[in-house]
Amino acid sequence: MLSLVDADSGKAMQHLTKKFSMRNHRLVLSTSIMIVLTTSAGCVRHENAPAKEAELEKAAQVASEPSADNSSAPPPPGSSTPSQELLSLAYICEAGPVCDADILGANTPEEARWLLQNGYPSSELLNRLEAMSDRQLKREADRGSLAAMVNYGQRLASQGDTDAGLVYIFDATQRGSIYGYYAMSRVYGTPGLGGIVESGAYLRVAYILGDSKASDELQRRFPGLQQMEQAAIDRRASQLYQSFAHSRQPTPRP
């Protein structure tokens, strides 16, 4: 099970880094983000539906407007802009305990803002991205939508263009997407590419960066991990945190 040793992991990282080329364009909020007025699966609607729908309609209008250059470091925890406050409404999940296991769901406005600021798509946005053609999704990714970059990278990898797919996901992580580490884990979990250690290590990095739900995802994806496997994952994650994540300051998920 531990077929991927540190030397092979280093080669994989060097290969990805060599292939990576940062695109120097402005990040904008995707004009294709339309926040639908139905809640995501497993989440239920408030009794004051009309008021909430009005807020979501306004959020959709905000989502269609270009944002300021977002290539700098994420804002301090707890801070947000009016447009972010509106967009974060789409992440709120109202199904109680069901939400606790939902990576894309938020129990509080603070958690919703955290998801938005760290590149996580809402369930509605993820459904829209997955329904796009390759050309449409690539256009959104090239315009700078972190969620589209991650989704497009995964799609390329699933179609056999692993190198190009990893470049898109890597780009998203370097621009602040913690969600991108979930995608890295999925790609490296492909048989013959990475294995348990490499795949698990990226989820562990997401946990180190602040996403407490990444630990649960690791256990769901790889149940029954042996002690040696867990130790190898932790060692590899420590390397990735320093080299891949540049020892970024963690921002705990509320």
Side-chain angles (χ1 to χ4, degrees):
M1 300 291 285
L2 298 177
S3 59
L4 186 62
V5 297
D6 291 344
D8 291 333
S9 298
K11 290 180 181 178
M13 177 58 64
Q14 292 173 3
H15 178 64
L16 174 58
T17 303
K18 184 177 180 180
K19 294 281 295 182
F20 171 71
S21 174
M22 182 70 76
R23 292 179 296 277
N24 184 24
H25 56 67
R26 291 169 57 85
L27 284 173
V28 296
L29 283 173
S30 168
T31 56
S32 70
I33 299 177
M34 294 294 294
I35 302 177
V36 298
L37 301 181
T38 56
T39 57
S40 58
C43 295
V44 296
R45 191 180 292 232
H46 270 311
E47 292 299 327
N48 57 342
K52 186 171 183 179
E53 289 182 356
E55 289 180 317
L56 291 176
E57 287 178 350
K58 186 175 181 181
Q61 294 175 359
V62 173
S64 67
E65 299 173 356
S67 68
D69 193 335
N70 197 28
S71 60
S72 58
S79 66
S80 60
T81 65
S83 61
Q84 287 177 324
E85 291 288 347
L86 289 170
L87 290 171
S88 66
L89 292 172
Y91 294 83
I92 298 296
C93 181
E94 299 162 359
V98 175
C99 303
D100 294 337
D102 185 1
I103 296 169
L104 305 180
N107 287 314
T108 65
E110 292 77 19
E111 186 179 9
R113 286 193 293 270
W114 186 93
L115 290 169
L116 177 61
Q117 292 171 357
N118 288 285
Y120 292 69
S122 65
S123 296
E124 292 91 344
L125 174 56
L126 182 60
N127 289 337
R128 288 184 58 81
L129 293 174
E130 291 178 343
M132 289 181 179
S133 67
D134 289 353
R135 179 177 295 181
Q136 291 172 324
L137 186 56
K138 182 180 186 300
R139 182 172 63 246
E140 296 304 319
D142 289 341
R143 294 186 62 185
S145 165
L146 295 182
M149 291 164 70
V150 171
N151 192 278
Y152 185 57
Q154 288 186 101
R155 185 179 296 187
L156 287 175
S158 69
Q159 293 172 349
D161 197 350
T162 304
D163 287 340
L166 288 173
V167 166
Y168 271 92
I169 303 171
F170 179 74
D171 195 350
T173 64
Q174 301 308 290
R175 294 167 183 254
S177 174
I178 296 179
Y179 180 66
Y181 291 91
Y182 283 86
M184 281 290 187
S185 176
R186 294 187 189 98
V187 173
Y188 277 111
T190 303
L193 182 58
I196 289 178
V197 173
E198 194 76 0
S199 179
Y202 281 100
L203 286 175
R204 192 65 173 161
V205 174
Y207 175 82
I208 294 172
L209 291 174
D211 188 354
S212 56
K213 291 187 178 182
S215 179
D216 296 333
E217 180 69 11
L218 176 62
Q219 296 303 318
R220 281 194 296 268
R221 198 174 298 178
F222 304 112
L225 281 174
Q226 301 299 312
Q227 185 175 359
M228 290 181 60
E229 293 171 327
Q230 186 65 66
I233 287 173
D234 288 345
R235 286 196 301 271
R236 179 60 179 146
S238 179
Q239 295 172 350
L240 289 172
Y241 175 62
Q242 296 177 58
S243 61
F244 196 97
H246 309 293
S247 300
R248 171 181 164 181
Q249 183 69 27
T251 55
R253 182 172 184 158

